[in-house]
Amino acid sequence: MNFLSSILIVLGLIFGLIGVIGVLRFPDFYTRMHASTICLTLTSILIIFGVIIEAVVRGGMDNYVIAIHSFVALAALLVTNATSNHALARAAHKSGVELDPISVCDKLAERKFSEEGE
Amino acid sequence: MVVAAILTFICLFLFYALLSLGSGVGLGTGMPDILWWDSGELIVGLILSTIAATASHKYMMNRENPSKGITTIFLFLAYLFVWFKELVKANLWVAKLIFTMKIKPGIVKITPDLKTDIGRTMMANSITLTPGTFTVHIDEETGDFYIHWIEVKKEEPGSEDVANGFEKWARRVME
């Protein structure tokens, strides 16, 4: 494997590890989601770019196909993960998951939910 | 109307071709190959994109201003670089917070001046994908974003404090 892809993939794995440590250390659901966002953005971007560079360096049609498909997968991953993260957070807040006591404010709970369900 | 349908068809077929790239190299349907594609794969692609284009061209093209689509694509590519820079900065920031644990989480309200659904979607997704901030709720009538922020610097922040410049870009690209 070439040097640049090795560096990218190892960096990605290090950020993934940091994200996992964050998920374990943070106090409540919402702050844990910030840590998991590291895993799904920088980690996946770095690892997939490592794979793309390796595939392009190796050459040949088969490997170019892998490179292009990895890129499409990355785009799909980022769009769907953003949406699902938002849906999770919204569902958690609606079903009454409490913020940790160290939180300083909760503007959404102060605002009354006038619409039922939606 | 016909132009919109044909443009949609071309986009859909190119995307199908992208996804089925390489089908002619390995195992195919046994039909002859055209460049890197299996010809059976391409025929299925033609049929499917025709069906999809007739059904969806009304929603895919901006009929009031068709040339805007091209500028949107280039602006969006430029935006990706800005976004990636912010993403790396935010990742390093949250990685630091994981070790120091000096967090002050809270849900704050911002009111960006965005009118269209697609502009709001783009901004909310950009905020969610940046570690340190994510969108919990959007009030569709007033356009308020309720954002969980891992380190609340101000309890009444402006859009610039939470999402560095994303509002400006969302307005420029999508509206």
Side-chain angles (χ1 to χ4, degrees):
Chain A
M1 198 187 281
N2 76 84
F3 185 67
L4 188 57
S5 340
S6 314
I7 292 285
L8 285 176
I9 291 174
V10 168
L11 262 181
L13 289 174
I14 289 171
F15 273 100
L17 183 66
I18 292 174
V20 171
I21 294 172
V23 169
L24 292 172
R25 288 192 72 183
F26 275 154
D28 66 348
F29 172 80
Y30 301 98
T31 43
R32 282 179 178 164
M33 261 177 91
H34 290 297
S36 78
T37 313
I38 290 187
C39 293
L40 71 88
T41 54
L42 202 56
T43 300
S44 55
I45 288 174
L46 286 172
I47 290 179
I48 289 182
F49 269 106
V51 170
I52 289 175
I53 290 171
E54 173 67 17
V56 170
V57 167
R58 284 196 187 180
M61 197 55 213
D62 280 2
N63 288 323
Y64 292 144
V65 169
I66 290 175
I68 291 169
H69 285 187
S70 308
F71 195 76
V72 176
L74 178 63
L77 198 69
L78 288 179
V79 174
T80 52
N81 270 330
T83 318
S84 65
N85 247 14
H86 163 66
L88 269 175
R90 195 176 124 96
H93 201 277
K94 275 207 158 185
S95 57
V97 176
E98 298 281 324
L99 272 77
D100 193 77
I102 60 167
S103 305
V104 288
C105 58
D106 187 350
K107 301 283 182 208
L108 184 55
E110 290 165 21
R111 165 185 171 275
K112 275 181 206 148
F113 272 95
S114 53
E115 72 273 35
E116 277 286 314
E118 197 187 319
Chain B
M1 205 59 170
V2 182
V3 178
I6 291 170
L7 279 174
T8 317
F9 167 77
I10 291 171
C11 292
L12 290 173
F13 185 67
L14 285 179
F15 193 66
Y16 191 94
L18 186 69
L19 287 180
S20 62
L21 178 66
S23 54
V25 181
L27 291 172
T29 50
M31 294 173 79
D33 295 340
I34 302 168
L35 292 174
W36 303 293
W37 288 275
D38 184 82
S39 55
E41 195 72 77
L42 284 184
I43 292 164
V44 174
L46 280 174
I47 296 167
L48 287 180
S49 5
T50 316
I51 297 170
T54 38
S56 68
H57 68 270
K58 266 185 244 166
Y59 314 106
M60 295 295 212
M61 293 287 157
N62 183 348
R63 248 179 298 150
E64 290 151 30
N65 194 356
S67 67
K68 195 163 170 278
I70 312 289
T71 14
T72 306
I73 292 172
F74 284 106
L75 275 174
F76 188 75
L77 291 177
Y79 168 71
L80 281 184
F81 285 98
V82 178
W83 173 77
F84 187 70
K85 203 188 84 200
E86 291 298 325
L87 181 80
V88 173
K89 262 199 304 194
N91 267 295
L92 294 174
W93 175 55
V94 176
K96 198 186 81 194
L97 284 182
I98 286 172
F99 291 112
T100 61
M101 289 304 271
K102 282 181 186 144
I103 52 173
K104 242 173 84 182
I107 295 178
V108 294
K109 183 176 103 168
I110 62 169
T111 314
D113 182 26
L114 296 168
K115 298 281 178 294
T116 57
D117 281 351
I118 183 111
R120 284 176 186 166
T121 309
M122 183 174 143
M123 177 154 178
N125 272 357
S126 307
I127 288 172
T128 307
L129 274 182
T130 322
T133 50
F134 65 77
T135 323
V136 180
H137 183 80
I138 298 176
D139 192 321
E140 282 171 31
E141 274 126 50
T142 56
D144 294 338
F145 283 44
Y146 292 86
I147 290 168
H148 190 275
W149 200 4
I150 200 164
E151 191 181 17
V152 178
K153 289 168 188 143
K154 291 181 216 164
E155 294 209 8
E156 306 282 343
S159 152
E160 285 299 310
D161 299 322
V162 182
N164 316 315
F166 286 159
E167 181 190 352
K168 195 181 67 194
W169 275 93
R171 202 179 304 126
R172 199 186 289 168
V173 176
M174 291 299 181
E175 296 196 346

